[in-house]
Amino acid sequence: MTYTSILTEVRGRVGIVKLNRPQAMNAFNTILLGELFDALEIFDADENIGAMIVTGNEKAFAAGADIKEMADATPFEMIKQGRVEKWDRIRGIKKVVIAAVSGWALGGGCEFALSCDMIVASESAKFGQPEITIGIIPGAGGTQRLARLLGKQLAMEMVINNRTLTAAEALQFGLANRVVPVEGYLDAAVAFAEEIAARAPMAVRMAKDSVNAAFETTLTEGLKAEKRNFYPLFSTEDQKEGMKAFIEKRKAEWKGQ
């Protein structure tokens, strides 16, 4: 498929999507957002891909939504276009998606990174929700995901008072999984993704679904979701292979079945 606002690459079993609007600091416009989700869905359906990465460039992961597209919009136009609903496509991705963030991740850029399953940040990464400075609030999940990840007080400060988190703070507060030097941040993310891609595919998928359930349900319902994902894995060839390999003290050979 030919894209105009993203680049795609495959390294081993890792699919990489690179946001490619450097002239606009990778701000999300309608075209970029559509291409991004199209690419992720193609990778998600590819049995040769075990994990995915979304990245930008060293200066900017993504500096939010393209304000020029929204400046004169009415509520009716925003609803008709389903501008916020387009972001829901990330929740349909079954495989693990890692955000490799360097430089600015602001507004929609921060929200997209939060929508991913894990974040590898370069030392220059900065996370923020500056929507309040242009008279609106985050609309693609920022208020909800930040509150769940960071707690009420820090989420309030970021959303209401435009506090920006450095990479070190993101790691400290549990927003990022790891922080690495700028010059090697994408390679570090690929190595991380390769570890995940080398694991039993169905188990990874069920694990992702179960952890996500903890953010969307009560403990009782979350435990039910975990059981629904746990028991069926005993019908997979990978479960038999994994346990046999453990007993035989050898490396398992996953088939994804």
Side-chain angles (χ1 to χ4, degrees):
M1 182 177 291
T2 301
Y3 300 110
T4 62
S5 298
I6 64 170
L7 301 172
T8 60
E9 177 187 353
V10 175
R11 297 193 196 178
R13 285 179 49 77
V14 178
I16 302 171
V17 181
K18 182 177 181 180
L19 309 181
N20 190 36
R21 292 189 72 215
Q23 73 283 2
M25 293 183 66
N26 295 328
F28 288 110
N29 62 6
T30 302
I31 294 174
L32 187 152
L33 200 59
E35 290 184 351
L36 170 58
F37 288 126
D38 286 346
L40 289 176
E41 288 167 358
I42 289 171
F43 281 145
D44 203 32
D46 187 342
E47 293 183 358
N48 295 313
I49 299 298
M52 292 168 276
I53 292 171
V54 177
T55 191
N57 55 51
E58 289 187 1
K59 294 182 178 179
F61 176 73
D66 193 326
I67 303 304
K68 293 179 181 179
E69 284 192 341
M70 299 186 294
D72 297 321
T74 65
F76 176 78
E77 289 169 341
M78 293 290 286
I79 294 170
K80 183 179 180 181
Q81 294 168 9
R83 189 169 289 272
V84 172
E85 285 72 17
K86 288 181 173 68
W87 292 76
D88 291 341
R89 291 173 67 182
I90 188 66
R91 300 179 68 193
I93 302 298
K94 305 301 182 185
K95 295 172 184 172
V96 168
V97 182
I98 297 171
V101 179
S102 187
W104 296 104
L106 300 176
C110 183
E111 288 174 299
F112 184 85
L114 295 174
S115 299
C116 293
D117 301 301
M118 286 173 271
I119 296 175
V120 173
S122 85
E123 292 171 338
S124 72
K126 294 181 175 64
F127 300 87
Q129 299 289 166
E131 288 88 347
I132 198 75
T133 66
I134 57 171
I136 59 172
I137 66 171
T143 64
Q144 301 305 297
R145 290 190 173 94
L146 282 175
R148 284 166 169 77
L149 285 168
L150 305 178
K152 176 184 174 181
Q153 282 72 22
L154 186 52
M156 283 284 192
E157 188 174 357
M158 290 184 69
V159 172
I160 293 177
N161 206 38
N162 191 26
R163 175 171 174 178
T164 299
L165 296 186
T166 65
E169 289 174 324
L171 183 65
Q172 175 188 351
F173 296 129
L175 190 150
N177 292 78
R178 54 194 65 177
V179 175
V180 298
V182 175
E183 58 271 19
Y185 84 98
L186 182 55
D187 288 338
V190 170
F192 192 16
E194 285 176 339
E195 293 177 11
I196 296 166
R199 303 191 185 281
M202 189 56 68
V204 171
R205 176 173 171 172
M206 296 297 194
K208 170 175 172 171
D209 184 76
S210 297
V211 173
N212 282 336
F215 284 86
E216 300 184 3
T217 62
T218 63
L219 176 59
T220 298
E221 292 302 314
L223 291 171
K224 289 179 181 178
E226 183 180 82
K227 291 183 179 67
R228 286 196 298 269
N229 286 328
F230 174 76
Y231 288 123
L233 288 172
F234 282 80
S235 67
T236 65
E237 292 183 27
D238 281 348
Q239 175 267 325
K240 302 297 186 264
E241 164 64 9
M243 293 190 175
K244 184 178 180 181
F246 177 82
I247 293 170
E248 295 176 355
K249 294 179 171 46
R250 61 175 175 81
K251 185 177 180 179
E253 297 181 5
W254 309 120
K255 297 181 179 179
Q257 299 177 356

